Amino acid sequence: MKNMKRVLLISAIVLGTAFGAQAQRIKGSDTCLPMSQKLAEEYMKANRGASVTVTGGGSGVGITSLLEGTTDIAQLSRKIKFEEREKIQEQGKRVTEVTVAYDALAVIVNPANGVSQLTREQLESIFTGEITNWQQVGGADMRIIPYSRETSSGTYEFFKESVMRNRNYVNGIMSMPATGAIIQSVGQTRGAIAYVGLGYLNNNVKALRVSYDQGKTFVAPSVENAKNETYPIVRPLYYYYDSGTAQRARPFIDYALSPAGQRIVADIGFIPVN
C-alpha cells in the first residue's frame, strides 16, 4: 500500500509539472491583443491542461516584461529596438523573433465626418499640427482633434515612421492608453481623427481611404487590399521570446503559425503569414 501511495504521489508530481510547464504568459501590443486572446482560447481547448494568460499595455511594456522575466512571449506591433536588444544581451540572453501576422493600420474618423479620403501628406500635416480644420481638406468648418496611442505603443511609432516620415506629433495631442479607448473617443467626437489596427474597426468609426501617390489613387484598408499590396499602411506583428526558454514559448507560437492558428488570425481581421 505504501509503495502504491508513493507511485501515485510521484505520478501526480510528474503530471503537475507537465501541465505547469504549459503555463504561458503573453504581454505587450494592444494591437495584437484580440488575436492573441482568441489564439490562447483555442489553444487551451486543443491542449488539455494548458494555461495561457494574455495582457496588453503596449509593445514597449512587452519587451520590458520579457527583459524582467515576467512574460514568456512579448507581442509587438513593431520590430525590437537596438537598445532593447542590447539590454537583453547584457543579461546574457538572446531573443528570437517570429512574424505571426500582418496588420493594415486604418485611419479613422467619426461617422458623421464628410471626409472619406486623405493623402499621406495631408495626414502628416494633420498629426504635426499644420492642418487644424477639416475645411482645409474638403470637409466642414470644424476643428480637427487628433488622437494617438501612447509613446510606448508600437502603433504610435509605426504611424510616426510610415505616415509622418518621423516628424514629431503636434504638442498636446490626445494620447490614449489603449486602442479601445481611441475607438470610443473617435466614435463620440465629431472632429476626431486617429489610427487603429484593422482588427479593431467597427460601426462606431469610419475608416478613410488613403493615398500614398499624392492623390492619384485612394485605397481603403482591408485584408484583401493588404494582401494584394494596394493598401500602403501595412506592418508585421511579432512574437519575441527568450531563446533560452524556447521549450516554454514555442508550443503556443507553433500553434499560432499552424493552419488552425492562421485561420484564427484571418477571422480576427489580420493577414496570415502563410
Side-chain angles (χ1 to χ4, degrees):
M1 180 64 73
K2 286 184 178 179
N3 286 339
M4 180 62 73
K5 287 182 178 179
R6 186 180 177 191
V7 169
L8 290 172
L9 177 60
I10 292 172
S11 298
I13 292 171
V14 171
L15 286 170
T17 302
F19 287 136
Q22 296 184 59
Q24 293 153 323
R25 301 160 297 175
I26 303 169
K27 193 168 189 176
S29 166
D30 281 328
T31 297
C32 298
L33 195 58
M35 175 185 70
S36 295
Q37 286 174 331
K38 186 61 177 177
L39 285 168
E41 179 185 328
E42 296 304 318
Y43 175 79
M44 288 187 286
K45 286 180 183 177
N47 295 273
R48 182 175 172 271
S51 174
V52 183
T53 58
V54 184
T55 53
S59 295
V61 170
I63 284 294
T64 299
S65 299
L66 192 65
L67 183 67
E68 295 172 348
T70 56
T71 193
D72 302 303
I73 299 170
Q75 53 187 11
L76 273 69
S77 58
R78 59 162 173 82
K79 264 191 173 293
I80 188 172
K81 297 178 182 177
F82 176 77
E83 58 267 28
E84 292 169 336
R85 194 181 290 276
E86 273 198 325
K87 286 181 181 178
I88 291 172
Q89 289 174 344
E90 285 170 4
Q91 290 190 349
K93 298 178 181 179
R94 184 169 58 87
V95 293
T96 298
E97 173 189 287
V98 179
T99 301
V100 291
Y102 291 91
D103 177 37
L105 201 62
V107 178
I108 58 171
V109 296
N110 186 277
N113 194 323
V115 172
S116 296
Q117 60 187 34
L118 290 171
T119 65
R120 186 206 64 78
E121 291 79 10
Q122 288 172 324
L123 288 170
E124 177 184 330
S125 295
I126 286 171
F127 282 90
T128 56
E130 293 169 357
I131 292 177
T132 58
N133 193 296
W134 284 108
Q135 198 172 38
Q136 294 173 263
V137 290
D141 184 7
M142 177 172 56
R143 184 169 70 93
I144 296 176
I145 304 171
Y147 286 83
S148 82
R149 285 297 312 281
E150 291 183 323
T151 56
S152 63
S153 163
T155 306
Y156 169 98
E157 296 192 24
F158 177 75
F159 189 85
K160 181 179 179 181
E161 176 186 334
S162 175
V163 177
M164 299 168 62
R165 296 296 192 259
N166 285 313
R167 295 183 63 196
N168 291 326
Y169 286 85
V170 60
N171 288 334
I173 193 170
M174 301 291 287
S175 179
M176 307 300 285
T179 303
I182 283 183
I183 291 284
Q184 183 178 11
S185 297
V186 173
Q188 295 173 347
T189 309
R190 286 194 63 205
I193 185 170
Y195 49 87
V196 297
L198 187 62
Y200 278 90
L201 289 181
N202 60 32
N203 293 331
N204 296 321
V205 296
K206 181 173 76 172
L208 300 182
R209 296 191 301 275
V210 175
S211 171
Y212 262 47
D213 58 6
Q214 298 181 324
K216 295 175 185 175
T217 55
F218 290 87
V219 184
S222 70
V223 171
E224 182 181 354
N225 289 340
K227 280 183 175 179
N228 64 29
E229 300 182 352
T230 58
Y231 187 73
I233 318 177
V234 177
R235 54 171 175 176
L237 300 178
Y238 303 101
Y239 283 162
Y240 286 91
Y241 64 92
D242 180 350
S243 305
T245 61
Q247 189 174 4
R248 187 179 182 90
R250 282 304 311 194
F252 179 82
I253 293 175
D254 289 341
Y255 176 78
L257 295 174
S258 72
Q262 290 294 291
R263 281 195 296 271
I264 292 169
V265 166
D267 289 343
I268 294 296
F270 295 107
I271 300 97
V273 294
N274 49 45

